[in-house]
Amino acid sequence: MIGLMMKIKIALAQFNSKLGDVKANLEKHLELIEEAHKQNADLVIFPELSLTGYVLQDLAYNVALRPHQEDPVFNKLFKASKDIDLVVGFVHEDRRHRFYIAAAYLSEGKTRHIHNKVYLPTYGMFDEGRFFAEGDSVRAFDTKFGRVGMLICEDFWHASLPYLLWLDGADFLLFSSASPGRGLTESPRLSSSLWVEHTNRAYAGLFTNFVVHANKVGYEDGLNFWGGSTIFDPYGELVIRAPDFESTLAVAEIDLNQLHRSRARLPLLRDERTNVVLRELERILGVK
Amino acid sequence: MIDLSINTDLTIKILTGFIKTELNRVGFNKTLMGLSGGIDSAVSLYLSARAFGPENVLAVRMPYAKHSSSKTSPQDTLEDAQTMIDDLGVQSMTVEITEMVDPLIDHYEDMTKLRAGNIMARMRMIVLYDQSVPFKGLVMGTSNKTEMLLGYSTIFGDSAAALQPIGDLYKTQVRQLAKALGVPDKVIQKAPSADLWAGQTDEGELGFTYAEVDKLLYLLVDQRYRPEACVEEGFDKAFVERVMGMMRRNHFKRVMPPIAKLSQRTIGYDFLYPRDWGT
C-alpha cells in the first residue's frame, strides 16, 4: 500500500479511564474513535490498559478480556475498526488463564496483532509482577501503512525491545503507557515526563523511525498520570505533543516520505551490523 | 547539592486536579478543614478554594481558650485565620472546643500537656467529621511530608482526613507553595506551632529547624542515602540518628493497623483493591 498512502493521520487518545469499569470505558473509546474518524484519522492509539484503568490490583482478574468476535467488548471494537485502525489497552486472559497487560492492534474488523507486555515493573510504586504474567515475545507486524511494532510502558525503558522491533522491520514504533508522574523540581514539567520524552526522541533519531506515544491522564489512588503524548518523526523532531494532564484527542498528519529522506541522509539501518551484535551477545551470554 | 525548590505552577496544577478528581469521583464537590492560622492548613485551604471555588469550602476554626494560664490558641492566630477567610471568601465557622475537652482533661489529676494536646487534636477531628455531614463535604488533610515522616502528629487527630494533598511536600516546599498561592506573609513567616500549649513551637520542641531536617530527610528518603552517607555529607551523627529513630518509631502512624491473618484471603494481604475502585 505504501506509495498509495504517503500521508497518514494519527490520533492520540489521551484519556482517563474509569477504574475497573470496562463498560464505561468502552463507551468512551467508541466516542473517541468516532471523533477521530470525523477528523479523518487513519489510526487511533489509546494508552496502556485504556479499557480498564491502571491501578487494578485484584480487579485485574475481573476485568480481563479475550479478544474474540464473541466477546461483547471486542465485538464492538472490531466493528469500530472497519473504518479506522485501533490500538487499545486491556487485560488479556489467555487460554490457560494467564493474565497479561496487553495492547491489541485492530484493523478492518480483525485482530492484526496482540502484544503482551514483556517487562512488568515490580519495584518502587509498581507492583505489576504480582498480578500479571510476563509476555515473552516481541514481533513487528504489517499494517496498511507499513510495518509496525507495539510496546507498553516499561517495555520501552529497555532499549533491547525497540531495537528488536526495528530489526524486525518496524518503521513505526507505537508506544502506549500509563506513566505515573513523579519528580517535582523547578522545571515546569515532571522529571518522568522529560525522561520519557528524551527517550522517545532518541529512539526516533537513532532508528530513523516514527515513534508514537499515547499516555494516560487522570488520577488513581494518589498517582497522577501526566499525558503529554507525542509523535516524533525519523529525524527525531517533534510532530505533535498533547498537553500535559489534559484529556484530549490529539491528531497529527505524518509524511511517510520522511522515512525515505531520513534514511537516504543517515543510513543507520543499512549500516547496522547485526552479525556483530549476535556474535557479541552469544559471547556475553556464554551461548557459544 | 540539596535543592528542594519546586515549580509551584506545576504543583498547583497537579494538586488542584488531585483534590477535584478524588472528591468528584466519590460524589462530592465540597470540602472542609480545620484552619489553625498556620501555614499547612492555609495551603490546603487555598488549594481547595482553587479546586472547587470558595463557596464550596468550609474553614472551621476550633480554638481552645479556657484556662488563662494554658490558653493555647493565641488571638493573633484566630485573626490570621480570619484574614485568610476574608481573602478567599470561603465559608467559615468557629467551634470553640474548650467546653468539650475540659471535662476529660479535668477528670484526671495526672493529666499532662501532651495528653491534653492529643485530646484537643482528636476533638477537632470529631468536630470536622461531624460537620462534614451537614456540609456534605469531605475532610481535607493538612499534613506535610516532614511531619508525616517524623511522626509529629496525633494519630486519629490532625492526621485524620479523606485526602492528603500536601503529604508529599516538605515543610520547606510548603512555604514555597504558600507564597505562590497568595497566603499572607505573616502566616508564612511565623514560627510553626501545633498550639497545643502556650508558647509551643515545632522547632523548639523538635530541637532542630525544618530547613535542616528537610535536607536530611530529602537525602534519606528521596535520594535513598544510607545514614552513614548523610554523616559523610556533613550532617551531625546524633542528629541523623535521632531523625532515623523518629521515623522508625512513628511508622505505625503511617500505616493501617495490622490485621491478624487467619483465613485464605485477608484484607490488606491478599484482598487488594485500589481505593478508587470503580470510579
Side-chain angles (χ1 to χ4, degrees), chain B:
Chain B
M1 201 188 88
I2 303 168
D3 184 2
L4 294 178
S5 306
I6 56 168
N7 184 295
T8 50
D9 287 344
L10 176 59
T11 312
I12 291 167
K13 187 169 177 65
I14 295 174
L15 295 184
T16 51
F18 168 73
I19 290 171
K20 214 175 149 91
T21 306
E22 291 305 308
L23 259 62
N24 284 345
R25 74 195 315 159
V26 286
F28 288 86
N29 59 7
K30 294 207 269 186
T31 180
L32 73 164
M33 68 214 69
L35 186 66
S36 65
I39 191 170
D40 296 325
S41 56
V43 166
S44 280
L45 183 75
Y46 277 67
L47 285 171
S48 300
R50 286 210 189 187
F52 291 114
E55 66 280 10
N56 294 313
V57 178
L58 173 62
V60 186
R61 297 184 300 179
M62 294 169 284
Y64 174 80
K66 186 184 175 191
H67 298 167
S68 57
S69 59
S70 63
K71 184 174 165 181
T72 70
S73 306
Q75 194 56 39
D76 64 334
T77 292
L78 284 170
E79 285 164 9
D80 291 342
Q82 189 61 49
T83 306
M84 293 189 278
I85 289 162
D86 295 341
D87 178 31
L88 290 170
V90 295
Q91 297 196 50
S92 68
M93 68 191 311
T94 302
V95 182
E96 193 174 313
I97 61 166
T98 320
E99 300 296 329
M100 305 171 190
V101 298
D102 273 352
L104 182 55
I105 292 172
D106 295 340
H107 193 67
Y108 300 100
E109 284 191 1
D110 60 348
M111 182 54 58
T112 62
K113 282 197 295 189
L114 182 69
R115 283 171 65 188
N118 283 336
I119 290 169
M120 290 175 210
R122 293 190 179 117
M123 181 51 71
R124 292 184 175 114
M125 178 275 290
I126 292 173
V127 170
L128 287 173
Y129 273 85
D130 175 59
Q131 285 303 321
S132 74
V133 181
F135 187 64
K136 299 189 176 70
L138 291 185
V139 177
M140 190 60 58
T142 62
S143 302
N144 64 58
K145 189 171 187 175
T146 311
E147 73 181 38
M148 280 184 170
L149 287 171
L150 296 176
Y152 194 63
S153 67
T154 298
I155 189 169
F156 311 127
D158 53 302
S159 68
L163 291 185
Q164 293 289 11
I166 59 169
D168 203 18
L169 292 172
Y170 290 111
K171 189 82 173 186
T172 313
Q173 297 170 321
V174 171
R175 286 184 177 134
Q176 295 169 52
L177 188 57
K179 211 171 164 60
L181 285 164
V183 172
D185 274 346
K186 190 165 169 244
V187 174
I188 300 175
Q189 301 301 336
K190 85 169 114 177
S193 170
D195 282 340
L196 294 182
W197 53 83
Q200 182 198 26
T201 66
D202 295 359
E203 291 176 336
E205 199 187 0
L206 290 165
F208 46 73
T209 66
Y210 279 119
E212 286 173 286
V213 79
D214 283 353
K215 286 182 184 164
L216 176 59
L217 288 171
Y218 175 76
L219 291 191
L220 285 169
V221 176
D222 294 68
Q223 297 298 317
R224 299 172 191 258
Y225 274 51
R226 286 171 295 111
E228 310 86 87
C230 294
V231 175
E232 284 163 24
E233 289 294 315
F235 288 94
D236 179 63
K237 187 161 184 275
F239 176 47
V240 175
E241 281 170 1
R242 172 132 186 270
V243 167
M244 285 298 296
M246 288 179 81
M247 275 207 286
R248 182 185 53 75
R249 244 186 357 265
N250 289 311
H251 190 61
F252 73 95
K253 295 184 185 179
R254 294 186 289 265
V255 295
M256 296 291 275
I259 294 172
K261 181 158 176 80
L262 295 170
S263 73
Q264 290 286 6
R265 199 170 180 209
T266 309
I267 298 161
Y269 300 98
D270 32 36
F271 177 85
L272 297 173
Y273 290 88
R275 180 178 157 120
D276 292 339
W277 182 356
T279 61

